[in-house]
């Protein structure tokens, strides 16, 4: 059960695959796991990342310049799985590359690669029937995004459709770092707790050790994305080392308790 | 999703509300200048020597294009939803101008996203938007055109969704946009149908309109859908060639995919990345097409053909010199198709061409390309 959070708060680390290239992404992912990431989201670069802020947009552009594809990301996942058996691996993608590959084929290849689940940013739960059955058939966990503006009945639908964990979006808007954690975040997690027993990971805008600790007080896991991608951008030539150090720094001040998994 | 549901509810309620419709009709009449004339293009008809050509003159509307129909409709909805900030994307700038105009009229704060490439080639409209009191935000990602402007508008919307309405300018995006925007443009076809029956006593053989996202074309097509004998012809941007990246003809090189919340035909590569597009006309320069057009094409009810940059430029000159009408470069694509088609038709047949906008905004591009100085 790699999609299990063994620590509280657990760390979900996002990387844009292919930035600066796939070989370095592999090193970055392994360094992140070594530094304590419980789950890694392998981001598939997309030409029109409407849910992302400038940092991930730039990383996606760099990755696409040399043609990084969903198929290559799945190959990368298989390589990572060889090295890391107990870390959760999630494919984080926009819908179109998956549609182009074919939903069924995507699930089949992902399963064979040892992937645990997927998060499709621009596929709302209301339109996800076909996706959910394909994911189920291949025993993959679909993770859906819950937003602060989602009404309770929608939170229910999202929780029911999600496996592994529910991804709570800390605020309205796109990915990217913020000085302060929005008040929205705490409220959303509280509302989700009422409708689900699944662990809740909170993401969007979290980049500091203080924020990590703060989120750890009320969520089960913290998703860190843009801050990691920015480390990659700023540390040419020593990307993996920089990401490893960053993650250690992030989790250093907060006591990550071991969780007994029944 | 919550904002889309709120919009859908507000729209469904407004649609059935006589007061809303009456206020919209009044503004369309006294502010926008509806109904627009259906004009018999005598000299163009004689020159081409075939079918009788009528022009639906959306170019005569306030702000210079059909876009105002939808902006007034959504503007009144914004009032009802109690929001005070409006954002929009624009390609050629016509939708940006129409949105800024309606925001000035109704007193909303307005931000228009526009690709930097489009800002360069549609400079005049950038100034008009600013003159109307709206802010223009340049978008320099991707191809720096309409698609990228929509991406940025969507990012703004998800961030400020509680106070902001996204006034989407075409029959694109997530539900209810394609339906709602179509409904606000249906007036074009409703008028044209009544007008042609009044003047000619019969329906036309064909209707021709250009298709970017597809708002003017679906607007003029819609009330003719049940007149099975009326051919509906959409004209896409054939650009400068057939290779991916050189045109915006989704039905020639596209395949089913999802872009910006719409499942339709999309120009894309083998890995599902959205392709860059090219067209001399900023308003047609977009890699996807309204989903209802995809359905009309698949069912065979409508037909879609490309017209190249060169053909559109030629059509502009011809219409200017035979009828004294300078069409927008977008609309010139529809004119280019009638130039090919009318000579092959009988003199007893009738064609209606939707002149969706006027060409004033394009004088810079026309000057560069036509070398008349």
């Amino acid at each position: 059960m790699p999609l299990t959070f063994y620590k509280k708060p657990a760390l979900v680390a996002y990387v844009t695959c292919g930035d600066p290239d796939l070989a370095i992404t592999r090193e970055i992912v392994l360094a992140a796991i070594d530094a304590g990431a419980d789950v890694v989201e392998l981001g598939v670069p997309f030409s029109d990342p409407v849910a992302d802020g400038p940092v991930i947009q730039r990383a996606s552009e760099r990755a696409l310049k040399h043609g990084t594809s969903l198929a290559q990301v799945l190959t990368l996942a298989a390589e990572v799985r060889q090295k890391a058996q107990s870390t959760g691996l999630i494919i984080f993608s926009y819908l179109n590359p998956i549609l182009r590959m074919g939903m069924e084929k995507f699930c089949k290849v992902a399963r064979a690669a040892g992937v645990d689940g997927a998060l499709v940013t621009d596929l709302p739960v209301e339109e996800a029937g076909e996706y959910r059955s394909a994911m189920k058939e291949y025993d993959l966990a679909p993770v859906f995004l819950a937003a602060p503006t989602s009404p309770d009945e929608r939170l229910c639908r999202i929780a029911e459709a999600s496996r592994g964990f529910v991804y709570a979006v800390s605020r309205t808007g796109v990915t990217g770092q913020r000085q302060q954690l929005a008040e929205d975040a705490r409220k959303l997690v509280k509302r989700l707790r009422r409708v689900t027993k699944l662990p809740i990971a909170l993401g969007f805008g979290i980049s500091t050790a203080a924020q990590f600790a703060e989120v750890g007080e009320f969520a089960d896991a913290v998703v860190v994305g843009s801050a990691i991608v920015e480390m990659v951008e700023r540390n040419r030539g020593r990307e993996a080392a920089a990401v490893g150090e960053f993650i250690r720094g992030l989790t250093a001040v907060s006591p990550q308790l071991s969780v007994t998994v029944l | 999703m919550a904002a889309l549901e709120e919009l859908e509810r507000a729209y469904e309620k407004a649609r059935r509300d006589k007061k809303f419709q009456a206020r919209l009709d009044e503004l369309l009449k006294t502010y926008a200048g509806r109904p627009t004339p259906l004009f018999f293009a005598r000299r163009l008809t004689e020159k081409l020597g075939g079918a009788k050509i009528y022009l639906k003159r959306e170019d005569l509307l306030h702000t210079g294009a059909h876009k105002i129909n939808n902006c007034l409709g959504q503007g009144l909805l914004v009032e009802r939803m109690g929001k005070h900030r409006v954002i929009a994307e624009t390609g050629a700038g016509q939708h940006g101008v129409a949105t800024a105009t309606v925001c000035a009229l109704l007193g909303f704060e307005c931000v228009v996203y526009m690709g930097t490439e489009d800002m360069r080639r549609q400079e005049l409209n950038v100034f008009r938007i600013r003159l109307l009191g709206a802010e223009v935000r340049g978008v320099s990602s991707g191809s720096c055109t309409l698609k990228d402007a929509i991406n940025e508008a969507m990012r703004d919307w998800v961030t400020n969704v509680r106070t902001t309405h996204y006034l989407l300018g075409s029959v694109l995006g997530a539900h209810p946009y394609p339906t709602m925007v179509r409904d606000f443009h249906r007036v074009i076809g409703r008028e044209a149908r009544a007008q042609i029956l009044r003047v000619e006593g019969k329906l036309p053989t064909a209707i021709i309109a250009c298709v970017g996202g597809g708002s003017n074309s679906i607007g003029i097509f819609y009330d003719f859908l049940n007149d099975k004998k009326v051919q509906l012809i959409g004209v896409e941007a054939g650009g400068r060639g057939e290779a991916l990246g050189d045109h915006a003809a989704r039905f020639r090189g596209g395949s089913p995919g999802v872009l910006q919340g719409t499942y339709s035909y999309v120009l894309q590569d083998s890995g599902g990345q959205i392709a860059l597009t090219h067209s001399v006309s900023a308003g047609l320069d977009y890699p996807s097409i309204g989903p209802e057009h995809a359905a009309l094409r698949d069912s065979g009810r409508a037909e879609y053909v490309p017209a190249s940059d060169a053909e559109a430029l030629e059509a502009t000159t011809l219409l200017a010199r035979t009828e004294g009408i300078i069409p927008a470069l977008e609309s010139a694509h529809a004119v280019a198709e009638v130039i090919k088609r009318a000579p092959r038709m009988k003199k007893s047949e009738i064609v209606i061409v939707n002149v969706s906008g006027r060409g004033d905004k394009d004088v810079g591009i026309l000057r560069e390309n036509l070398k008349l100085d």
Side-chain angles (χ1 to χ4, degrees):
Chain A
M1 283 290 287
L3 260 199
T4 306
F5 299 136
Y6 293 101
K7 303 191 284 286
K8 187 176 160 55
L11 174 69
V12 179
Y14 168 94
V15 290
T16 301
C17 295
D19 172 36
D21 62 45
L22 282 160
I24 296 177
T25 300
R26 184 163 164 268
E27 288 174 31
I28 294 168
V29 170
L30 295 174
I33 294 169
D34 192 47
D38 301 89
V39 171
V40 176
E41 291 179 346
L42 297 169
V44 179
F46 184 52
S47 53
D48 295 81
V50 288
D52 287 300
V55 171
I56 294 177
Q57 286 177 48
R58 287 198 300 270
S60 304
E61 274 179 32
R62 287 192 295 268
L64 287 175
K65 258 192 195 133
H66 49 86
T68 308
S69 66
L70 172 59
Q72 289 174 339
V73 173
L74 290 168
T75 305
L76 173 78
E79 289 168 17
V80 172
R81 179 52 80 220
Q82 294 289 314
K83 304 257 176 186
Q85 273 79 38
S86 59
T87 308
L89 290 179
I90 287 181
I91 300 295
F92 192 101
S93 180
Y94 286 83
L95 179 58
N96 203 52
I98 294 177
L99 281 182
R100 189 71 180 173
M101 175 177 276
M103 202 77 93
E104 184 85 16
K105 186 181 170 194
F106 165 73
C107 292
K108 198 173 167 183
V109 178
R111 172 51 37 211
V115 164
D116 302 296
L119 196 162
V120 185
T121 330
D122 56 345
L123 179 62
V125 66
E126 291 80 357
E127 304 285 339
E130 195 189 327
Y131 164 75
R132 283 172 61 192
S133 4
M135 292 287 283
K136 195 172 175 188
E137 196 187 325
Y138 287 92
D139 194 24
L140 291 163
V143 177
F144 287 92
L145 296 169
T149 46
S150 305
D152 287 342
E153 52 161 37
R154 183 153 201 267
L155 292 186
C156 281
R157 257 180 288 167
I158 288 166
E160 271 169 31
S162 295
R163 296 283 174 274
F165 62 93
V166 179
Y167 188 134
V169 174
S170 69
R171 56 177 156 76
T172 59
V174 295
T175 59
Q177 302 156 45
R178 291 290 185 282
Q179 297 287 318
Q180 276 182 327
L181 205 61
E183 191 46 39
D184 278 347
R186 219 176 267 268
K187 270 191 226 157
L188 175 61
V189 173
K190 203 178 275 177
R191 288 170 56 217
L192 275 167
R193 294 279 188 220
R194 273 186 236 132
V195 298
T196 185
K197 288 203 167 69
L198 282 175
I200 296 164
L202 187 87
F204 280 40
I206 301 157
S207 61
T208 66
Q211 287 171 333
F212 185 88
E214 188 187 343
V215 174
E217 290 166 15
F218 59 93
D220 303 296
V222 185
V223 189
V224 180
S226 296
I228 290 175
V229 175
E230 197 168 22
M231 282 296 138
V232 173
E233 183 176 55
R234 281 198 195 162
N235 292 279
R236 282 289 170 253
R238 55 179 301 274
E239 294 88 352
V243 168
E245 285 158 24
F246 173 71
I247 289 179
R248 283 193 186 88
L250 207 57
T251 52
V253 292
S254 34
Q256 285 179 290
L257 307 171
S258 291
V259 176
T260 315
V261 180
L262 297 173
Chain B
M1 278 310 290
L4 289 169
E5 280 161 9
E6 178 195 9
L7 179 61
E8 188 181 357
R9 279 193 304 272
Y11 174 61
E12 278 307 317
K13 218 170 141 195
R15 212 163 64 101
R16 277 176 269 123
D17 182 347
K18 287 206 174 99
K19 268 195 213 151
F20 177 87
Q21 286 302 339
R23 178 132 191 259
L24 179 56
D25 289 347
E26 180 67 14
L27 282 173
L28 285 172
K29 188 174 155 195
T30 59
Y31 187 71
R34 299 214 76 92
T36 58
L38 185 72
F39 173 71
F40 173 50
R42 186 181 307 276
R43 293 194 65 224
L44 183 64
T45 300
E46 281 168 9
K47 178 148 182 96
L48 296 174
K52 278 181 99 171
I53 301 164
Y54 281 87
L55 307 176
K56 180 62 174 162
R57 299 291 311 275
E58 292 296 293
D59 60 313
L60 291 176
L61 284 172
H62 181 42
T63 71
H66 72 290
K67 295 290 185 189
I68 191 85
N69 300 328
N70 168 49
C71 290
L72 283 169
Q74 287 196 47
L76 294 183
L77 268 185
V78 175
E79 265 186 351
R80 286 171 81 109
M81 290 188 294
K83 293 189 173 179
H84 56 79
R85 182 174 178 269
V86 168
I87 57 169
E89 82 296 340
T90 197
Q94 289 304 107
H95 177 59
V97 168
T99 303
T101 298
V102 167
C103 288
L105 176 73
L106 300 175
F108 305 136
E109 184 190 338
C110 178
V111 175
V112 176
Y113 289 93
M114 190 167 186
T116 47
E117 167 64 13
D118 289 341
M119 286 177 75
R120 187 190 62 76
R121 52 182 171 171
Q122 307 277 265
E123 207 183 334
L124 193 65
N125 273 344
V126 174
F127 180 76
R128 289 169 76 198
I129 296 167
R130 287 180 176 148
L131 182 65
L132 289 159
E135 182 190 341
V136 178
R137 289 190 190 160
V139 180
S140 54
S141 56
S143 53
C144 308
T145 59
L146 180 58
K147 163 182 82 96
D148 313 286
I150 296 180
N151 286 344
E152 211 49 45
M154 290 175 97
R155 292 182 185 118
D156 181 318
W157 199 32
V158 296
T159 308
N160 303 299
V161 61
R162 291 179 171 110
T163 59
T164 298
H165 173 67
Y166 179 15
L167 208 162
L168 188 56
S170 197
V171 285
L172 296 167
H175 182 70
Y177 282 106
T179 313
M180 177 176 70
V181 176
R182 175 201 70 205
D183 287 352
F184 287 137
H185 285 303
R186 271 183 69 175
V187 62
I188 308 172
R190 195 182 306 135
E191 285 176 9
R193 195 173 183 282
Q195 286 165 324
I196 199 72
L197 286 174
R198 201 177 314 129
V199 199
E200 289 283 349
K202 62 173 185 180
L203 291 170
T205 303
I207 312 251
I208 303 177
C210 66
V211 193
S215 65
N216 89 81
S217 43
I218 206 81
I220 196 164
F221 288 174
Y222 202 74
D223 275 39
F224 291 94
L225 280 182
N226 291 327
D227 304 316
K228 300 284 185 214
K229 284 192 176 154
V230 178
Q231 298 167 37
L232 306 174
I233 299 148
V235 187
E236 300 185 277
R240 61 190 166 211
E242 292 198 13
L244 195 64
D246 283 343
H247 64 86
R250 288 68 43 107
F251 290 132
R252 197 173 58 185
S255 49
V258 168
L259 175 65
Q260 295 162 339
T262 310
Y263 181 65
S264 185
Y265 283 78
V266 179
L267 290 165
Q268 56 183 317
D269 69 13
S270 59
Q273 304 295 336
I274 308 306
L276 297 182
T277 50
H278 165 82
S279 170
V280 69
S281 95
L284 305 185
D285 200 353
Y286 181 74
S288 185
I289 187 166
E292 198 164 2
H293 285 291
L296 289 174
R297 190 255 194 177
D298 286 352
S299 72
R301 179 63 191 94
E303 175 192 348
Y304 295 83
V305 292
S308 69
D309 286 355
E311 288 167 338
L313 287 162
E314 260 172 55
T316 305
T317 317
L318 184 68
L319 192 66
R321 292 179 181 184
T322 54
E323 300 295 345
I325 295 169
I326 303 173
L329 275 170
E330 290 75 19
S331 322
H333 284 72
V335 178
E337 177 59 21
V338 84
I339 293 172
K340 293 180 207 169
R341 196 171 284 251
R344 303 195 304 258
M345 296 169 71
K346 285 186 249 152
K347 290 194 175 177
S348 57
E349 291 184 284
I350 298 163
V351 181
I352 298 177
V353 178
N354 198 22
V355 182
S356 55
R358 67 175 88 123
D360 307 32
K361 67 182 177 61
D362 295 318
V363 286
I365 302 168
L366 291 170
R367 214 171 152 178
E368 264 173 48
N369 284 278
L370 296 176
K371 313 230 184 304
L372 305 176
D373 300 319

